Amino acid sequence: MSLYAFSTNNTYSITNAQFNLSATVQGFLSLLQKYSKSLIWVKSIHAQIITNCVAIDQSLGTKLIRTYSDLSSLDDARSVFDQFSQPRTFLCNAMLSGYLRNERHRETLDLFRMMGSCNLEFDSYTFNYALKACMGLSDYEMGMEVIKSIVCKKMDKEKYLASLMINFLVKLRKIGDARRVFDMISERDVVCWNSMIGGYVQSGQFDEVFDMFFRMRDSGITPSPITMVSLIQACGRSGDMEIGKCVHGCVLEFGMGEDTFVLSALVDMYSNMGDIGYAHLVFETMPMRNLVSWNTMISGCIQNGLVHESFSLFRRLVTSGCGFDSGTIVSLIQGCALTADMESGKILHGCVIRRGFELNLIISTAIIDLYSKCGAIEQATFVFDRMKERNVITWTAMLVGLAQNGSAGDAMKLFHRMQAEGVVANSVTLVSLVHSCAYVGSPKEGRSTHAYLIRRGYTFDIVVTTALIDMYAKCGKINSAEFIQCIVCFV
């Protein structure tokens, strides 16, 4: 009989007769697997599990916890877990995994601590979930406790845990600690090497990136596409074209000349270094392209001032049937802003509305910047006021737009509104505000802004201090301008 028979008098129910045929653990496991997408059905099955006195089976309890967790019903999952007075490790892991998948990081760590206090056995999955929860909370101290436990139980030789420990420390910018963990690992696979190389890329230590790569090759480890992408990113960020071309040669030597992921990274590298011709050559010779490849090439053209070429690529993208996403639109809007092409910008704005992208924070911010640079400050304000969510970049884009279009008074009002909403300004916001004070010739507002800058620790920022000197000079406060200049020269 089908579980469709649950429905009686417009409510879901399960008859005992139906389950008499399968009132075994395996039968219930099969039913949970088959009807795992509906919470009400799962609860009905759970009720029958209790009725048939098989709720004490931990494998069945594990399946229930996982099913409830998949449905984001964590209270029900925890209720199942709490019924077991002596839970085994796999049952605890199911609950830990459920919390983690639902981003309940604190509850994950609370349960991990409870397992420790009850002397329950930890395995590699337990440590995996606990360390990922620490990563989610950026909790360095607890993460180090987990790492110490991993080392103490001699599980640091498990390659997945080893790379996870490195990734955790890299994310928290503890690159020295990450290197010490890496050096402790006796058997390193390509994932461990990639984690460490990627960490050095993120921290900007490009010499270490290549040193690790050469050590990796000396150890007999074959690089993966992720390895090569890390090297390519290091070249792009350091601006070293010569090494970048050497890495390109290595890509071909390692047989990755048709890997879309790696080739897209090469397009990005050449674009960032201003060699758009080479970027285009790599792009055109790619055997297969995905949306990331197209977006990278479009963004590269705009970055190098080739706005017309970016729109040609966009037309090719649309006709290729690959589709486009919010990233594509943002790049094109930025291109329109560079050339003050308001007509094309309006067409893209219409596309954004039709596609339902108007709630996208990044796109809305780009549209505000576009209209501001085209002198259409009313349209920019209209878009800004309709936004349900704003971040400091959005506020800054609007404030800069007002300041650049001669609405300095409105810019200062917007800044006060920004403060009232508890948004912390960044250096770009503050420089624009200082320029606004200079534009309206308001030394009172200028001093107030200067005091805010001192409180926020921007006193010795060269861009900010230059703007302050200009503001005081334009407001007729030459002595104040000279005083700031003397301080800067002294420092």
Side-chain angles (χ1 to χ4, degrees):
M1 183 182 291
S2 167
L3 279 184
Y4 189 73
F6 284 5
S7 180
T8 309
N9 297 325
N10 297 320
T11 60
Y12 288 107
S13 63
I14 305 176
T15 63
N16 286 328
Q18 178 183 346
F19 277 104
N20 285 336
L21 299 173
S22 58
T24 62
V25 169
Q26 193 57 49
F28 282 121
L29 286 171
S30 299
L31 285 170
L32 284 170
Q33 180 69 31
K34 189 173 182 180
Y35 300 102
S36 61
K37 302 300 181 185
S38 169
L39 182 59
I40 195 165
W41 287 15
V42 171
K43 284 189 173 185
S44 297
I45 296 169
H46 187 185
Q48 288 298 320
I49 288 171
I50 295 168
T51 302
N52 284 272
C53 301
V54 288
I56 57 170
D57 185 88
Q58 294 211 20
S59 63
L60 198 50
T62 300
K63 182 64 178 176
L64 272 169
I65 289 169
R66 286 178 180 160
T67 306
Y68 277 131
S69 299
D70 288 341
L71 295 166
S72 299
S73 185
L74 290 176
D75 289 342
D76 289 316
R78 186 57 191 250
S79 173
V80 173
F81 178 80
D82 288 340
Q83 289 174 6
F84 295 92
S85 58
Q86 294 181 316
R88 293 169 67 183
T89 301
F90 64 82
L91 187 78
C92 296
N93 285 346
M95 194 67 244
L96 287 168
S97 175
Y99 279 139
L100 189 66
R101 290 200 312 276
N102 287 274
E103 298 184 359
R104 300 273 283 273
H105 300 122
R106 293 203 182 281
E107 288 92 332
T108 307
L109 293 178
D110 287 343
L111 181 55
F112 175 76
R113 290 189 189 95
M114 187 207 78
M115 288 178 68
S117 64
C118 295
N119 295 318
L120 294 175
E121 191 67 31
F122 293 154
D123 63 14
S124 59
Y125 291 104
T126 316
F127 287 125
N128 169 40
Y129 301 139
L131 199 51
K132 283 183 176 177
C134 294
M135 201 180 294
L137 293 169
S138 297
D139 189 336
Y140 174 71
E141 290 184 5
M142 185 62 195
M144 289 307 294
E145 285 185 30
V146 175
I147 288 172
K148 286 174 185 173
S149 297
I150 292 171
V151 174
C152 182
K153 291 188 176 289
K154 298 183 178 178
M155 289 190 184
D156 52 307
K157 289 182 170 53
E158 298 211 15
K159 292 167 186 176
Y160 180 75
L161 277 180
S163 61
L164 184 62
M165 289 189 290
I166 296 167
N167 285 334
F168 166 73
L169 293 165
V170 164
K171 186 189 174 187
L172 269 64
R173 304 190 179 188
K174 303 289 184 181
I175 196 71
D177 290 342
R179 181 57 185 264
R180 280 188 284 277
V181 169
F182 177 84
D183 289 338
M184 274 191 332
I185 302 165
S186 55
E187 295 181 15
R188 308 179 190 110
D189 63 359
V190 68
V191 179
C192 285
W193 286 97
N194 285 346
S195 298
M196 199 65 239
I197 290 171
Y200 280 128
V201 173
Q202 287 179 38
S203 64
Q205 299 182 48
F206 304 124
D207 289 341
E208 293 290 344
V209 169
F210 291 101
D211 179 63
M212 290 295 290
F213 174 69
F214 292 133
R215 286 186 59 197
M216 174 183 178
R217 294 295 293 131
D218 290 341
S219 299
I221 302 293
T222 303
S224 70
I226 292 173
T227 319
M228 301 316 296
V229 167
S230 292
L231 297 181
I232 292 164
Q233 289 172 343
C235 295
R237 288 178 58 185
S238 65
D240 195 324
M241 177 68 81
E242 186 178 347
I243 295 180
K245 287 187 174 179
C246 289
V247 172
H248 190 170
C250 290
V251 166
L252 301 176
E253 182 185 341
F254 294 134
M256 299 178 197
E258 296 187 356
D259 190 296
T260 306
F261 177 52
V262 176
L263 295 177
S264 297
L266 282 170
V267 171
D268 185 57
M269 179 193 76
Y270 285 123
S271 299
N272 289 339
M273 290 195 280
D275 195 339
I276 197 67
Y278 236 107
H280 199 266
L281 178 65
V282 173
F283 177 78
E284 292 297 344
T285 55
M286 290 174 71
M288 288 187 65
R289 304 184 191 101
N290 57 19
L291 186 53
V292 173
S293 316
W294 285 97
N295 283 352
T296 303
M297 192 68 241
I298 289 169
S299 176
C301 284
I302 289 164
Q303 191 178 327
N304 286 274
L306 302 174
V307 179
H308 177 75
E309 287 80 351
S310 70
F311 276 91
S312 297
L313 282 165
F314 177 61
R315 284 189 286 271
R316 283 176 58 192
L317 168 61
V318 172
T319 55
S320 74
C322 199
F324 58 91
D325 64 3
S326 58
T328 323
I329 297 296
V330 166
S331 294
L332 295 170
I333 291 170
Q334 289 170 343
C336 293
L338 280 174
T339 56
D341 184 354
M342 189 160 165
E343 289 307 310
S344 297
K346 282 183 174 179
I347 292 169
L348 288 169
H349 191 179
C351 179
V352 165
I353 293 169
R354 287 194 301 275
R355 287 274 179 154
F357 290 151
E358 69 268 29
L359 297 178
N360 185 297
L361 187 61
I362 299 171
I363 288 181
S364 296
T365 303
I367 291 170
I368 290 167
D369 182 60
L370 162 70
Y371 283 134
S372 298
K373 286 178 177 170
C374 292
I377 200 66
E378 288 183 7
Q379 286 95 323
T381 305
F382 177 77
V383 173
F384 179 83
D385 288 339
R386 283 183 51 130
M387 291 178 70
K388 293 180 179 177
E389 181 188 354
R390 306 182 190 98
N391 61 14
V392 65
I393 300 170
T394 312
W395 285 92
T396 301
M398 191 67 247
L399 196 146
V400 169
L402 289 166
Q404 289 177 345
N405 284 276
S407 301
D410 290 333
M412 286 188 283
K413 287 178 186 175
L414 185 71
F415 179 69
H416 295 314
R417 182 178 154 196
M418 177 181 175
Q419 284 184 298
E421 294 195 18
V423 181
V424 179
N426 60 24
S427 59
V428 180
T429 321
L430 296 168
V431 167
S432 300
L433 186 66
V434 171
H435 286 318
S436 299
C437 296
Y439 185 86
V440 297
S442 172
K444 183 181 177 182
E445 285 284 355
R447 287 195 188 96
S448 175
T449 304
H450 191 179
Y452 183 87
L453 287 165
I454 292 169
R455 289 196 301 274
R456 291 292 175 186
Y458 288 103
T459 315
F460 301 111
D461 185 299
I462 189 64
V463 178
V464 172
T465 50
T466 302
L468 282 169
I469 292 167
D470 177 68
M471 182 270 294
Y472 279 123
K474 285 179 178 175
C475 290
K477 302 295 180 181
I478 302 301
N479 290 339
S480 297
E482 289 176 344
F483 178 71
I484 294 171
Q485 190 171 19
C486 287
I487 292 174
V488 173
C489 292
F490 178 76
V491 172

Short mmCIF file of all heavy atoms in Angstrom, two decimals, residues 9 49 127-128 142 206 253 257 319 323 326 414 421 431 470 489:
data_model
loop_
_atom_site.label_atom_id
_atom_site.label_comp_id
_atom_site.label_asym_id
_atom_site.label_seq_id
_atom_site.Cartn_x
_atom_site.Cartn_y
_atom_site.Cartn_z
N ASN A 9 -9.78 11.82 5.88
CA ASN A 9 -10.51 13.00 6.35
C ASN A 9 -9.68 14.29 6.24
O ASN A 9 -9.64 15.12 7.13
CB ASN A 9 -10.96 12.83 7.80
CG ASN A 9 -11.93 11.67 7.95
OD1 ASN A 9 -12.73 11.42 7.05
ND2 ASN A 9 -11.84 10.98 9.08
N ILE A 49 7.15 4.49 14.55
CA ILE A 49 8.40 3.91 15.09
C ILE A 49 8.27 3.78 16.61
O ILE A 49 8.63 2.75 17.19
CB ILE A 49 9.61 4.78 14.71
CG1 ILE A 49 9.92 4.64 13.21
CG2 ILE A 49 10.84 4.42 15.54
CD1 ILE A 49 10.95 5.62 12.68
N PHE A 127 35.55 15.50 14.50
CA PHE A 127 36.49 16.62 14.43
C PHE A 127 36.23 17.50 13.22
O PHE A 127 36.37 18.73 13.28
CB PHE A 127 37.93 16.10 14.41
CG PHE A 127 38.40 15.55 15.73
CD1 PHE A 127 38.90 14.27 15.85
CD2 PHE A 127 38.35 16.34 16.88
CE1 PHE A 127 39.35 13.77 17.06
CE2 PHE A 127 38.79 15.86 18.11
CZ PHE A 127 39.28 14.58 18.19
N ASN A 128 35.85 16.88 12.13
CA ASN A 128 35.54 17.62 10.91
C ASN A 128 34.41 18.63 11.16
O ASN A 128 34.53 19.82 10.83
CB ASN A 128 35.16 16.63 9.80
CG ASN A 128 34.57 17.29 8.58
OD1 ASN A 128 35.01 18.35 8.16
ND2 ASN A 128 33.55 16.67 8.02
N MET A 142 38.79 28.09 20.22
CA MET A 142 38.15 26.78 20.21
C MET A 142 38.71 25.91 19.09
O MET A 142 38.90 24.70 19.25
CB MET A 142 36.63 26.95 20.04
CG MET A 142 35.85 25.64 20.13
SD MET A 142 36.05 24.85 21.75
CE MET A 142 35.45 23.20 21.41
N PHE A 206 53.92 35.87 -2.11
CA PHE A 206 54.03 35.19 -3.41
C PHE A 206 55.33 34.40 -3.56
O PHE A 206 55.35 33.38 -4.26
CB PHE A 206 53.87 36.22 -4.53
CG PHE A 206 52.59 37.00 -4.43
CD1 PHE A 206 52.59 38.38 -4.38
CD2 PHE A 206 51.37 36.33 -4.35
CE1 PHE A 206 51.40 39.10 -4.27
CE2 PHE A 206 50.18 37.03 -4.24
CZ PHE A 206 50.20 38.42 -4.20
N GLU A 253 52.22 21.96 -20.10
CA GLU A 253 53.09 20.80 -19.86
C GLU A 253 52.37 19.74 -19.02
O GLU A 253 52.54 18.53 -19.26
CB GLU A 253 54.35 21.25 -19.12
CG GLU A 253 55.33 20.13 -18.84
CD GLU A 253 56.52 20.59 -18.00
OE1 GLU A 253 56.78 21.80 -17.93
OE2 GLU A 253 57.16 19.70 -17.41
N GLY A 257 45.73 22.13 -20.75
CA GLY A 257 45.45 23.12 -21.78
C GLY A 257 44.00 23.17 -22.22
O GLY A 257 43.63 24.07 -22.99
N THR A 319 23.68 34.75 -27.71
CA THR A 319 23.36 33.90 -28.85
C THR A 319 23.91 32.48 -28.69
O THR A 319 23.42 31.55 -29.32
CB THR A 319 23.91 34.51 -30.16
OG1 THR A 319 25.32 34.75 -30.01
CG2 THR A 319 23.21 35.82 -30.48
N GLY A 323 23.45 31.79 -21.54
CA GLY A 323 22.76 32.60 -20.54
C GLY A 323 23.70 33.56 -19.86
O GLY A 323 24.90 33.59 -20.15
N SER A 326 23.92 37.78 -12.73
CA SER A 326 24.09 39.12 -12.16
C SER A 326 25.51 39.63 -12.33
O SER A 326 25.73 40.83 -12.50
CB SER A 326 23.70 39.11 -10.68
OG SER A 326 24.50 38.18 -9.96
N LEU A 414 22.98 63.06 3.95
CA LEU A 414 22.98 61.60 3.78
C LEU A 414 23.96 60.94 4.76
O LEU A 414 23.67 59.88 5.32
CB LEU A 414 23.37 61.24 2.34
CG LEU A 414 23.29 59.74 2.00
CD1 LEU A 414 21.83 59.29 1.93
CD2 LEU A 414 23.98 59.43 0.68
N GLU A 421 21.63 55.38 11.13
CA GLU A 421 21.28 53.98 10.89
C GLU A 421 22.39 53.02 11.34
O GLU A 421 22.29 51.81 11.13
CB GLU A 421 20.95 53.77 9.42
CG GLU A 421 19.68 54.51 8.99
CD GLU A 421 19.14 54.04 7.65
OE1 GLU A 421 19.51 52.93 7.20
OE2 GLU A 421 18.33 54.78 7.05
N VAL A 431 36.41 60.67 2.68
CA VAL A 431 37.06 61.59 1.73
C VAL A 431 36.00 62.35 0.94
O VAL A 431 36.12 63.57 0.73
CB VAL A 431 38.02 60.83 0.79
CG1 VAL A 431 38.45 61.70 -0.38
CG2 VAL A 431 39.24 60.35 1.56
N ASP A 470 43.05 70.27 1.66
CA ASP A 470 42.31 70.95 0.60
C ASP A 470 41.05 71.60 1.14
O ASP A 470 40.71 72.75 0.79
CB ASP A 470 41.96 69.93 -0.49
CG ASP A 470 41.14 70.54 -1.62
OD1 ASP A 470 41.67 71.37 -2.36
OD2 ASP A 470 39.95 70.18 -1.73
N CYS A 489 54.13 65.86 7.42
CA CYS A 489 55.56 65.90 7.09
C CYS A 489 56.40 65.37 8.24
O CYS A 489 57.41 64.68 8.05
CB CYS A 489 55.99 67.34 6.76
SG CYS A 489 55.27 67.94 5.21
#
